[in-house]
Amino acid sequence: MKIDQIQSLTAEELKQQEAQTGEKLFRIRFQKSLGQNEGMKNLRELKKDIARIKTVARQRELGHATAPTESTQPSKKSRKKKDA
């Protein structure tokens, strides 16, 4: 789920989405413990989705802006090569 989609959800929808994603994560972990490897690719993405949902919910709770600003994006600086 992308951050834009998450930010467009209401508080109740955020709670529902977090519960659904948590349930999916639980099921995949349970399958892993049983030795089944189906859906293991989704494990990492589900963890990220839960983190995104919790982050948006916390931002709203604190009253912060929901759209990421330029300063929160990591900057890519190129390193200058030294002449030998």
Side-chain angles (χ1 to χ4, degrees), residues 15-56:
K15 289 179 184 179
Q16 290 175 352
Q17 190 65 37
E18 183 180 353
Q20 289 174 354
T21 308
E23 180 68 26
K24 288 178 188 176
L25 184 62
F26 172 77
R27 290 180 190 272
I28 290 176
R29 285 182 177 163
F30 190 72
Q31 288 176 353
K32 180 181 174 186
S33 69
L34 294 176
Q36 298 174 349
N37 292 330
E38 297 174 15
M40 291 305 297
K41 293 178 183 178
N42 294 336
L43 185 69
R44 186 176 197 187
E45 195 61 35
L46 287 173
K47 288 180 182 180
K48 288 181 180 182
D49 285 345
I50 291 173
R52 288 183 191 115
I53 291 167
K54 287 183 176 184
T55 299
V56 169

